[in-house]
């Protein structure tokens, strides 16, 4: 009996795309985009063509993950598959290097979010596809930037 493994399959009506997950892992875990070798524009997400000058841009660039809240909103009526996380805050984050990124804010606790709040990227679970044996999908979110604590001897 021949068993063929598939990268696309359905569990409880949720289509899982493992190959897509692996293809996007650099973006999701490391905030990796591109830099244009012609005009030096920083690009996220990667597009292979610079939106500034129209030239080919395939040189990888790792963003610092630091930025500030440009705009934000709180989602109370979440889309299908995200109901358990509501309410949650989504922000447009302007990275230090220039690009804007849409992401969920996390670790807010009682911290009030304001436009201009300094934030940093963290890796968190985004969702799980399927049952307890399904794929856990991690990706980037942003949290308020932590204050650096002095280290003994500094």
């Amino acid at each position: 009996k021949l068993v063929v493994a598939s990268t696309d399959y359905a569990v409880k009506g949720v289509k899982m795309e493992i190959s897509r997950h692996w293809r996007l892992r650099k973006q999701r875990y490391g905030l990796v985009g591109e830099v244009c070798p012609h005009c030096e524009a920083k690009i996220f997400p990667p597009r292979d063509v610079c939106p500034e000058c129209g030239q080919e841009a395939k040189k990888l660039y790792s963003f610092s993950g630091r930025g500030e809240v440009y705009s934000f909103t709180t989602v109370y009526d979440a889309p299908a598959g995200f109901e358990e996380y509501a309410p949650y805050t989504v922000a447009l984050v302007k990275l230090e290097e220039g690009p804007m990124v849409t992401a969920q804010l996390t670790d807010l606790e009682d911290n009030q979010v304001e436009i201009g709040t300094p934030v940093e990227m963290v890796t968190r679970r985004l969702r799980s596809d399927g049952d307890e044996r399904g794929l856990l999908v991690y990706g980037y979110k942003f949290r308020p930037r932590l204050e650096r604590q002095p280290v003994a001897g500094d």
Side-chain angles (χ1 to χ4, degrees), residues 31-42:
L31 215 58
V32 174
E34 295 167 335
V35 62
C36 177
H38 307 283
C39 71
E40 297 300 315
K42 308 296 188 303

Side-chain angles (χ1 to χ4, degrees), residues 7-72:
T7 58
D8 293 340
Y9 55 95
V11 176
K12 292 185 180 179
V14 178
K15 185 173 182 177
M16 298 176 58
E17 300 177 15
I18 295 173
S19 60
R20 181 172 183 268
H21 167 75
W22 283 105
R23 200 171 49 251
L24 296 175
R25 73 184 182 281
K26 286 183 182 177
Q27 285 174 234
R28 288 182 174 164
Y29 301 150
L31 215 58
V32 174
E34 295 167 335
V35 62
C36 177
H38 307 283
C39 71
E40 297 300 315
K42 308 296 188 303
I43 306 163
F44 189 86
R47 293 180 182 85
D48 296 337
V49 173
C50 178
E52 300 295 322
C53 70
Q55 299 291 318
E56 183 175 75
K58 292 187 177 185
K59 183 178 177 186
L60 295 181
Y61 180 85
S62 293
F63 288 88
S64 68
R66 292 183 304 273
E68 65 178 38
V69 174
Y70 182 82
S71 184
F72 67 95

Side-chain angles (χ1 to χ4, degrees), residues 67-72 91-94 105 112-120 144-145:
E68 65 178 38
V69 174
Y70 182 82
S71 184
F72 67 95
L92 188 56
V93 174
K94 183 168 179 63
L105 296 182
Q112 188 67 19
V113 178
E114 296 177 358
I115 292 174
T117 299
V119 292
E120 61 189 357
R145 200 174 303 165

Side-chain angles (χ1 to χ4, degrees), residues 138-152:
Y138 286 82
Y140 62 83
K141 293 184 181 184
F142 284 81
R143 70 176 176 203
R145 200 174 303 165
L146 299 177
E147 298 293 324
R148 297 202 75 191
Q149 300 297 320
V151 177

